[in-house]
Amino acid sequence: MDRKNQSPQGQTAKVVVEFLEVAINCIVFLKGFYPSRAFERRRYMNVVVNKARHPQLANYIHSSIFALLPYIQKGLVKRVVVIFYGQDQVPLEKFVFKLTIGQSYQSSVSEAELEFALRAFLVKLNVSETIAKPLPSGANWEITANFRELPSQENEGEEAKLWVPTDTKQWMQPSEITPIKSMDSNPLKLQLYMEHPSVTEQKV
Amino acid sequence: MVEYNHPEDTLPECQSLFQWLCFETVRTAVAADSLLKVSIFRRRNPQIQKRSLALSLRCSPMSRSSGSSSRKRGRPSSKSGATNPLKPPFFKSSPFSDFGSYMTEKNRKLRDQFETDASSSSHGANLAIADGGVSGVDSQGIFKGVAIFVDGFTVPPSQELKIYMLKHGGKFVNYFSRHTVTHIICSNLPDSKRKNLRAFSHGLPVVKPDWIADSIAANTLLSWVPYQLVEHAVTETSKQLKLSAFFSEKGISRSHHQGILIQNETSLSDKCKGESTELTLSGTDNFSQENSQESKHIDTNDELKDVKSESEEDCSTSYVAGKSSDHLNRPHSTLTDPNFVENYFKYSRLHFIGTWRNRYRKRFFNFLSGTGSKNNNPNNDTENLRRIVIHIDMDCFFVSVVIRNFPDLLDKPVAVCHSNNPKGTAEISSANYPARSYGIKAGMFVRDAKARCPHLTIFPYDFSAYEEVADQFYSILHKHCKKVQAVSCDEAFLAVSLSLNDNPENIAEIIRKEIFETTRCTASAGIGENMLLARLATKSAKPNGQCFIPLDKVNEYLDKLPISALPGVGYNVEEKLRMKEVETCGQLRTISKDVLQKDLGSKMGDMLWNYCRGIDHSAVEAVQETKSIGAEVNWGVRFKDSKDSENFLMNLCKEVSLRLHGCGVQGRTITLKVKVRKKGAGEPVKYMGCGDCETISRSLTVPGAINDVGSLHRIAKQTFASFHLDVKEVRGVGLKLSRLELANPSRKGIEESRLELLFSSATRKGKQPVEQSCSTNHSREDAPSGARPSSSSAVSQGSNISELPPLSHIDLDVVRNLPPEIFLEMNGLYKGELRKILESQQQEKEYNSESVERKDCRQQDQEISTRMQRELEPSEASCSKSNYCKSDLMPGSLSQVDFSILENLPDEVRTDILKQLPPHRVENQFPESSKSNLSLGSHSKWFEMLRVQNCLLSEFLLSNATFLTPNISPSSEEWDAIVVNSCEFMKEYIRQKIESDIEELYNCFRLLKRLSSKSSLLLEFYDRTLPLLQASIGEHYGGKLHL
């Protein structure tokens, strides 16, 4: 009942958010950021994935992604980025989920097909270890989201209006992009790619 | 073993008896140098109400000499006592000098007792056990001269037999003696005795107790020959109790036994006629279940009493043989009833309920489809009408339907249950209200229910009656209301629009009255503003009442309602809320939605928040979508080996497939559920039930929906194997398909009749060469699994591996290199076409290789396009619009799985694959055509090609890699044209894909980069387009592609 009453966007957004949570779990595992025993093997969409076992870690990923749900639903979120930093707060590697949820279009894709496509992401992600660069010690990571525009002010609290400075430094040079997987459908367009600092950047 | 059955009236003798027993057994044990176990127990015989004490001493291993066994039997033997050198001192204190004198004395006393009883019973006076009308005057003495010795457990029990003997002039001997006994009565014999019958019986007839019963009934001494116990045991092969025996209810159980035990018995009831009698339990299980089987068998024996003599004989002989160990160890599989699954569902109530909806849909199809269009209108335009939901539920449907023909049972406790055997391990499925007042609930064992209410009447199911009543019920509902949501066979929601001054209770009253008049069963109705309230109201309306919760009374009603009454609130939720000290809806209302959602999940929280306020948004829907279709068996499942389980799976798949076909759907997710006996769990209380089990389930999603037995079985088998179970522990198996899609014939057509299309469309002419060439390119991607060594990963995702690919899809080069036997097989599949094509191909190749040098480009082109026309037309059929929209999502081929994965493969695998790749591509059927297309075709043509074909450029590049290296001299005019055209195309392609699919661009350029090392043309092409690509990437993504 619940599902039926939803708009296709809402439905898709839910799937996407769920997917993002899993994918980010996978990325963190993939990077070997935590010891592998901090993860447990699970099955999602029939793919073996690794899920963080530590409640705090799992909760961080879960809560930060689910906090995005309303914005993703409205199509405000442009990118969800998992950034890995070195000690100096300079990003070393980014996993970028670029997503577009069409607002006007009625869904043409069944949930099953969507899942099938998203599964390809997970499969590909699981074998993308070689593209990723090893992290130095003292590295850190975070999840960020880039918005297309500011969320409308009327129904958000004071929090939304606040500007908080971030420690994150930007790359000076255009990054190097390695696509991992893309899908193009209605209403969801999703691309996953990695960004690394360009060679010149690293020298600087 | 030394054993005594001792009537309690001789208790004073017990002490000395016990002394003797100990002595005797110790002696035997010492002699045999073995262990000793003593047990004393009391038996209570319910019929006699007289207790008897049984003493038994057991020593193992048993001494097998017949002399000692007869002594142990307790035969008075003066010798054994007299010659005993180890006479214990305590024996002297007893009034008997030795055992022999004790036994003689005892036998004498028993005989006296028997005779006094007999003389008193001849007056018909004081024996409580009256056996109906048989105790007539003439019956006196039919057993004259007959002395029976009862061995072991019999039905009727030995004390009853003794009374028969008393009344009819026979003798009952407590202790066996060759000289006093004429007949040995027993129902079953242990295997050792059966084998060595003469030693046991001393040549006396061993007869079944039914002989006595039947003789009494016939009032004459019947010949005992047909009642012999052992005669047929040797010839009978299948002794085990058949599983299908337990599918029937009590009502037909007698005929069932006949049907199962006596093959080809003519008196088979209709129900079991169709059943094969092959199905037996697996040997090992019999071993563990022997006891339960035994008692089960005995339970039914009393029903067998009046069955024809022949059948009885077979029955018990097979029973005896069932215990024999050599049968237990029978090697062949036993779960072989081909109809097991079918029978299972035939007699399952849950199945009746489960599949009822389909029947309902078929029957009331007109109503359902007819109302579909009308539904929408009244919803919108009715301002002055109010909508009311009525929930109608028949009162204890399963019982009241059965007893509607027995009005005198109306206010007596009645339950419905599949079996009413005295063991009482069947579960009650429904009980009427008088029975409920005794605390009898559904799911309770009959045994327990009878303990609470001894006069409980139990009825079997009557499925045809249920069907009839359910149909009547729904006809009435549909008559009164356009919009009916069927919940189950006895429960439905009605959405009624009433004008404001109508009393909704009236319509419910009318409906209920009509239901009662038509079906003679009562129904209750709940009326409310929405489905939730209607459902809740029904609860207070029951039984046979109705309840209306008007809007202004909702809160009042809900205030005191315990939360467990809300639908969807189960044990867990209730427990969680109880922690918060919330027990009623009123209390629940004080909790905010956020807190609820946080504690119970967003959906559940939301739902509860609404429900406790009486809010329910769900609408009454006439037709509800079927979510999944499956079948599950968790009763009577016992496998002996993997063969059994495979057979069973096959049958289950057939059943599921039938159901899928019945509903006209296909499913994509196959879930296999297996119940496995929990470690340490004993045999279940419920006979053949699943007991304490762990449930494992695994599901698999296939890309293409399936509903055929073959694929179902394949997947089910695979999944089952992946559990790595000991099949003997399996107690239940279920197979379910979800993600259902309509089995669309047009869709099917594409998949199944490609071959047909291939042949039929071979006659069509005049297609555009470009399209054709593309379609072939594309279709090569779907080459069969064997065709390309590297395609295994693609195949694992493909559902249509099993179907025959069209000829044009086949990589002929592979075919050529196949081993001859495989080639022959394939050729056979294609009805010989393959060989023909291969031969013609061979000729053309030879011809081409000669001529290719001499021809100029244009001629070549022409020639090839004509050839293409001939060869490729068929495959054009396969490029249909239907799969166009999907290809972005579905990696339809290996090429999309792409090189980054390939690179991650282990070195040797990768080199293998790469080594294999080029040769396949060399022998493309139209190498030059694609080259010329690439070079000469305008970019718009390319797009059309890609669009029509819906393939990606990277796929195209991958599959045609080697042909993109033309032998045109650099810097010629033609060269420039090609490069310019290609760049034009690539520019367009980048523009198209940059937003949505940089993966594809990345793949293209990786490929180009790789290929450009071989071809200067491609290198130039690559160099020219790369900056554009990087610029676009920079523009959209703020970076550069890392190539």
Side-chain angles (χ1 to χ4, degrees), chain A residues 174-175 177, chain B residues 987 990-991 994 998 1001 1005 1023-1043:
Chain A
S175 59
I177 293 174
Chain B
K987 217 193 270 175
I990 291 171
R991 205 181 54 75
I994 191 76
I998 50 170
L1001 295 176
F1005 277 85
D1023 286 342
R1024 283 204 197 183
T1025 46
L1026 187 62
L1028 177 72
L1029 173 79
Q1030 294 294 24
S1032 329
I1033 292 281
E1035 190 183 316
H1036 285 89
Y1037 295 90
K1040 275 180 183 161
L1041 266 192
H1042 177 71
L1043 289 167

Side-chain angles (χ1 to χ4, degrees), chain B residues 656-931:
Chain B
V656 174
S657 171
L658 270 177
R659 291 186 192 180
L660 287 167
H661 281 290
C663 302
V665 290
Q666 299 176 312
R668 280 190 47 212
T669 299
I670 294 107
T671 308
L672 186 74
K673 189 168 126 188
V674 178
K675 273 184 185 294
V676 187
R677 189 173 70 98
K678 233 184 205 157
K679 263 207 184 96
E683 264 312 307
V685 191
K686 183 178 174 181
Y687 180 70
M688 287 300 277
C690 57
D692 201 0
C693 281
E694 277 174 79
T695 307
I696 323 167
S697 77
R698 192 165 286 184
S699 60
L700 194 85
T701 305
V702 291
I706 54 170
N707 65 357
D708 62 303
V709 184
S711 356
L712 276 177
H713 185 232
R714 188 171 42 79
I715 293 164
K717 212 169 87 181
Q718 206 179 314
T719 317
F720 189 80
S722 71
F723 289 138
H724 301 294
L725 292 172
D726 180 2
V727 288
K728 285 170 195 158
E729 305 285 286
V730 173
R731 292 290 180 267
V733 185
L735 184 71
K736 187 180 82 179
L737 266 89
S738 42
R739 299 211 196 162
L740 300 177
E741 298 169 2
L742 279 183
N744 192 350
S746 69
R747 216 187 100 96
K748 235 192 206 160
I750 292 165
E751 281 170 14
E752 281 175 9
S753 59
R754 271 199 197 163
L755 199 60
E756 266 172 57
L757 278 171
L758 165 74
F759 292 120
S760 62
S761 62
T763 50
R764 273 190 242 154
K765 293 276 175 196
K767 299 287 162 193
Q768 286 181 357
V770 178
E771 272 180 42
Q772 283 157 6
S773 75
C774 306
S775 64
T776 327
N777 283 335
H778 178 62
S779 49
R780 286 182 75 259
E781 304 291 340
D782 312 334
S785 57
R788 271 200 250 162
S790 58
S791 60
S792 57
S793 60
V795 166
S796 67
Q797 312 170 328
S799 64
N800 43 5
I801 321 155
S802 50
E803 71 188 72
L804 207 57
L807 266 179
S808 54
H809 289 204
I810 291 177
D811 191 329
L812 291 175
D813 189 53
V814 173
V815 173
R816 212 169 283 133
N817 294 325
L818 283 174
E821 55 269 32
I822 294 180
F823 174 76
L824 278 176
E825 200 179 315
M826 274 182 81
N827 196 31
L829 284 175
Y830 284 104
K831 305 185 176 89
E833 291 288 317
L834 202 58
R835 187 183 290 276
K836 272 186 225 163
I837 287 199
L838 214 61
E839 277 162 7
S840 66
Q841 180 78 21
Q842 193 69 30
Q843 286 165 1
E844 273 177 50
K845 208 176 84 183
E846 280 158 17
Y847 169 66
N848 277 349
S849 57
E850 288 168 2
S851 60
V852 84
E853 296 301 320
R854 284 181 271 120
K855 280 181 183 164
D856 71 26
C857 227
R858 196 154 292 209
Q859 269 178 318
Q860 214 176 4
D861 215 35
Q862 239 169 7
E863 186 211 317
I864 285 152
S865 65
T866 49
R867 202 171 76 211
M868 272 163 35
Q869 215 153 355
R870 196 170 62 247
E871 285 180 354
L872 307 176
E873 256 170 79
S875 68
E876 178 261 349
S878 70
C879 120
S880 84
K881 270 254 157 78
S882 72
N883 46 15
Y884 168 55
C885 59
K886 283 183 191 168
S887 81
D888 281 25
L889 301 167
M890 314 276 177
S893 70
L894 171 74
S895 57
Q896 225 183 331
V897 181
D898 94 353
F899 279 90
S900 58
I901 286 178
L902 201 64
E903 278 163 14
N904 290 329
L905 287 171
D907 277 346
E908 52 271 43
V909 178
R910 188 176 51 219
T911 45
D912 262 9
I913 291 172
L914 291 178
K915 219 170 23 187
Q916 298 286 348
L917 280 175
H920 294 285
R921 305 238 168 78
V922 173
E923 269 314 309
N924 197 296
Q925 291 160 6
F926 44 97
E928 283 82 5
S929 74
S930 46
K931 179 209 75 186

Side-chain angles (χ1 to χ4, degrees), chain B residues 604-616:
Chain B
M604 191 67 188
D606 192 33
M607 193 189 86
L608 276 184
W609 192 87
N610 282 332
Y611 277 8
C612 69
R613 284 163 181 76
I615 303 167
D616 181 15

Side-chain angles (χ1 to χ4, degrees), chain B residues 356-371:
Chain B
W356 163 84
R357 191 182 295 276
N358 285 331
R359 287 195 298 279
Y360 162 71
R361 247 184 228 172
K362 273 183 197 138
R363 186 172 280 259
F364 293 98
F365 180 75
N366 290 336
F367 288 105
L368 298 178
S369 55
T371 51

Side-chain angles (χ1 to χ4, degrees), chain A residues 1-5 14 43 46 78-79 98 109-117 119-120 123-124 127-131 133 173-185 189-193 195, chain B residues 485 602-603 606 617-619 621 624-625 627 668 698-701 703 739 797 886 888-891 896-898 900-901 904 993-1000 1002-1003 1033 1036-1043:
Chain A
M1 296 288 168
D2 207 16
R3 280 236 158 122
K4 272 182 198 161
N5 296 340
K14 270 199 175 158
R43 183 196 284 268
N46 249 335
K78 192 176 178 191
R79 277 190 291 250
K98 184 169 188 284
V109 181
S110 80
E111 209 172 312
E113 283 170 330
L114 189 63
E115 245 177 51
F116 190 93
R119 180 161 60 200
V123 171
K124 196 80 186 285
V127 295
S128 309
E129 200 179 347
T130 44
I131 316 170
K133 301 225 161 64
Q173 305 283 320
S175 59
E176 286 194 346
I177 293 174
T178 317
I180 293 174
K181 192 75 201 159
S182 304
M183 71 171 276
D184 182 8
S185 70
K189 289 183 177 54
L190 182 64
Q191 298 202 67
L192 170 60
Y193 56 89
E195 284 187 42
Chain B
Q485 178 177 340
S602 65
K603 258 188 202 171
D606 192 33
H617 295 301
S618 49
E621 282 171 71
Q624 277 173 318
E625 215 181 320
K627 290 270 164 46
R668 280 190 47 212
R698 192 165 286 184
S699 60
L700 194 85
T701 305
R739 299 211 196 162
Q797 312 170 328
K886 283 183 191 168
D888 281 25
L889 301 167
M890 314 276 177
Q896 225 183 331
V897 181
D898 94 353
S900 58
I901 286 178
N904 290 329
K993 290 285 177 189
I994 191 76
E995 277 281 10
S996 60
D997 200 352
I998 50 170
E999 185 202 2
E1000 158 68 7
Y1002 177 71
N1003 287 338
I1033 292 281
H1036 285 89
Y1037 295 90
K1040 275 180 183 161
L1041 266 192
H1042 177 71
L1043 289 167

Side-chain angles (χ1 to χ4, degrees), chain A residues 3 13-23 44 65-66:
Chain A
R3 280 236 158 122
K14 270 199 175 158
V15 176
V16 169
V17 162
E18 209 176 84
F19 161 77
L20 282 177
E21 187 187 350
V22 176
Y44 177 73
I65 291 302
F66 272 76

